[in-house]
């Protein structure tokens, strides 16, 4: 297919944009390149008007744009509601759907969440530092028919990156790349630090933290497979961020 190893995302599952995700269809291989830009939804939920702006800006490159559902405080019932409300418009728009599993680490929490998300056509799962390690998630996902799931781990330095890949992560999300409003004064990687991690990592890295329309192009030139952003995609410069991210795609 002409893709590099880190660009191969094989999901032996279905892709459907409707609100009823019942009935998994096995045996369908969907190959997607990694997203250049992942927009993480704000705490208040998915802003549909802003989503429409992102989709319009992405145009025919919308398959390189992802939206990540993240709600660390939600219990399973709340997650069920969030998935039913947010997943269909994301998938219907032709974007990749990602899910941050939150701080679930106990075996029963992992298995319950794996069963909850099983019917939904997500592209990958994001495992934060408080989440169970990749192998525990793989076992639970395999038990619920999701053995081909792509797993990404959150890290901050080279030791964490190497440990994440050694533990079975397919991708690693490193942060913070730039200074952030949420953690003022905290050390950040910068372009040189990020490029150094990319050179030393045995797999694809994604950058997070302080990325906006003014620095995303430089961030991508470090060799990361893509970037993720929390606030910028949903603000007034969201379209500019998308265009700057996808301009070279």
């Amino acid at each position: 297919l002409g893709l590099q190893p880190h660009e191969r995302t094989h999901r032996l599952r279905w892709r459907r944009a409707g609100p009823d995700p019942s009935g998994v269809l096995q045996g369908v291989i969907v190959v997607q390149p990694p997203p250049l830009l992942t927009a993480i939804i704000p705490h208040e939920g998915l802003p549909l008007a802003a989503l429409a702006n992102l989709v319009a800006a992405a145009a025919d490159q919308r398959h390189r744009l992802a939206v990540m559902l993240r709600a660390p405080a939600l219990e399973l019932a709340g997650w069920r509601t969030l998935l039913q409300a947010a997943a269909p418009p994301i998938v219907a728009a032709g974007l990749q759907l990602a899910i941050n599993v939150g701080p679930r680490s106990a075996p029963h929490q992992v298995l319950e969440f794996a069963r909850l998300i099983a019917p939904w056509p997500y592209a990958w799962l994001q495992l934060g530092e408080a989440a169970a390690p990749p192998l525990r998630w793989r076992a639970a996902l395999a038990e619920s028919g999701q053995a081909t799931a792509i797993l990404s781990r959150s890290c901050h330095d080279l030791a964490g990156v190497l440990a994440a890949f050694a533990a079975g992560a397919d991708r690693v999300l490193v942060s913070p790349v730039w200074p952030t409003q949420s953690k003022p004064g905290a050390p950040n990687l910068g372009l040189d630090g990020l490029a150094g991690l990319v050179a030393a990592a045995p797999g694809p890295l994604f950058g997070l933290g302080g990325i906006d329309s003014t620095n995303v192009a430089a961030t991508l030139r470090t060799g990361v497979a893509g970037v993720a952003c929390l606030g910028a995609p949903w603000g007034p410069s969201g379209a500019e961020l998308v265009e700057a991210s996808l301009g070279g795609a």
Side-chain angles (χ1 to χ4, degrees), residues 7 52 59 94 109 129 161 198 202 216 233 249:
E7 295 181 313
Q109 293 176 321
E129 291 179 293
V161 168
V198 169
V216 66

Side-chain angles (χ1 to χ4, degrees), residues 131-143:
L135 289 181
R136 184 176 299 171
W137 279 97
R138 289 204 187 281
L141 292 164
E143 185 175 325

Side-chain angles (χ1 to χ4, degrees), residues 73-151:
L74 281 187
E75 299 296 335
L76 288 183
W79 260 102
R80 185 173 291 107
T81 300
L82 175 61
L83 285 164
Q84 291 171 345
I90 293 169
V91 179
L95 311 182
Q96 296 188 41
L97 171 65
I99 297 174
N100 188 310
V101 304
R104 292 172 170 83
S105 58
H108 73 279
Q109 293 176 321
V110 173
L111 184 57
E112 288 172 348
F113 196 78
R115 290 170 175 168
L116 176 69
I117 63 175
W120 295 96
Y122 62 86
W124 84 95
L125 299 180
Q126 182 65 38
L127 312 182
E129 291 179 293
L135 289 181
R136 184 176 299 171
W137 279 97
R138 289 204 187 281
L141 292 164
E143 185 175 325
S144 51
Q146 305 166 78
T148 59
I150 299 296
L151 302 181

Side-chain angles (χ1 to χ4, degrees), residues 33-39 53-66 94-96 212-213 216-218 220 225-227 238-249:
L36 288 171
L37 173 63
T38 298
N53 291 336
L54 299 183
V55 172
D60 61 353
Q61 294 295 319
R62 62 185 63 178
H63 64 290
R64 302 303 304 272
L65 178 62
L95 311 182
Q96 296 188 41
D212 57 28
S213 59
V216 66
L220 288 169
V227 299
E240 288 81 1
L241 172 60
V242 170
E243 292 167 356
S245 302
L246 306 183

Side-chain angles (χ1 to χ4, degrees), residues 176-180 182-189:
V177 177
W178 301 92
T180 65
S182 61
K183 297 179 181 178
N188 58 279
L189 293 166

Side-chain angles (χ1 to χ4, degrees), residues 191-208:
L191 293 178
D192 290 342
L194 184 59
L197 290 183
V198 169
L205 300 188
F206 291 74
L208 168 71

